[in-house]
Amino acid sequence: MDQVLGYMRRQLFSSRPESSVTAAMVNNYIRDGILPRTKGKKYSREHIAKLTAVCIMKQVLSVGDISSLFSLVPPEDIQRLYEKYRETLDEELSSVIERVPDGGDGLVLGEAVVRFALASYANKVAAEHLIDIIEAQEEEERGRDGKGKGK
């Protein structure tokens, strides 16, 4: 667990302590079914991939919404999904870095902060809307065939 927590601290881009991962958080994600159970005390690549995604996406989405997203992915597609996740993260970080002002007074920097915060809010609203659509589609499918995926 200490190795996993150390690795996660190096993966996350925040300097703020509230962004760190704790053993209790990892255990809760396993208990809640967001992460698979470990085999003994061994964490797999799937654990690390999902934990990395959870830690970043939980800054914007609820853990329940993240769990809903994970439930859409068959286990055999985890590798492909993680590769796409990393590619998209790199693209988004590069795009943001290009828009960060190199300097300026408090007003210029404050305006940039507001712009980034509002863009984050707008993206969060869009993401939650799409999750609602996905959940409605799943509910409709369950109604059609009388079963479907459970959460």
Side-chain angles (χ1 to χ4, degrees), residues 57-102:
M57 291 193 300
K58 77 175 183 164
Q59 304 303 313
V60 178
L61 298 174
S62 72
V63 174
D65 285 346
I66 296 167
S67 180
S68 291
L69 287 173
F70 284 171
S71 73
L72 296 172
V73 181
E76 62 273 10
D77 287 345
I78 291 295
Q79 176 75 29
R80 185 184 62 77
L81 177 69
Y82 185 68
E83 288 169 8
K84 182 64 178 169
Y85 160 84
R86 283 185 30 219
E87 178 184 309
T88 303
L89 179 60
D90 287 346
E91 289 170 4
E92 292 300 318
L93 288 171
S94 294
S95 173
V96 166
I97 288 169
E98 290 174 7
R99 294 177 301 180
V100 172
D102 290 335

Side-chain angles (χ1 to χ4, degrees), residues 20-88:
S20 64
V21 183
T22 65
M25 292 165 74
V26 174
N27 290 330
N28 286 339
Y29 298 150
I30 291 170
R31 185 195 69 224
D32 294 342
I34 297 166
L35 296 176
R37 296 223 173 267
T38 59
K39 292 182 176 33
K41 293 185 178 188
K42 301 272 185 190
Y43 291 87
S44 67
R45 287 179 179 219
E46 179 182 354
H47 287 102
I48 301 301
K50 283 187 169 184
L51 185 57
T52 302
V54 168
C55 289
I56 290 174
M57 291 193 300
K58 77 175 183 164
Q59 304 303 313
V60 178
L61 298 174
S62 72
V63 174
D65 285 346
I66 296 167
S67 180
S68 291
L69 287 173
F70 284 171
S71 73
L72 296 172
V73 181
E76 62 273 10
D77 287 345
I78 291 295
Q79 176 75 29
R80 185 184 62 77
L81 177 69
Y82 185 68
E83 288 169 8
K84 182 64 178 169
Y85 160 84
R86 283 185 30 219
E87 178 184 309
T88 303

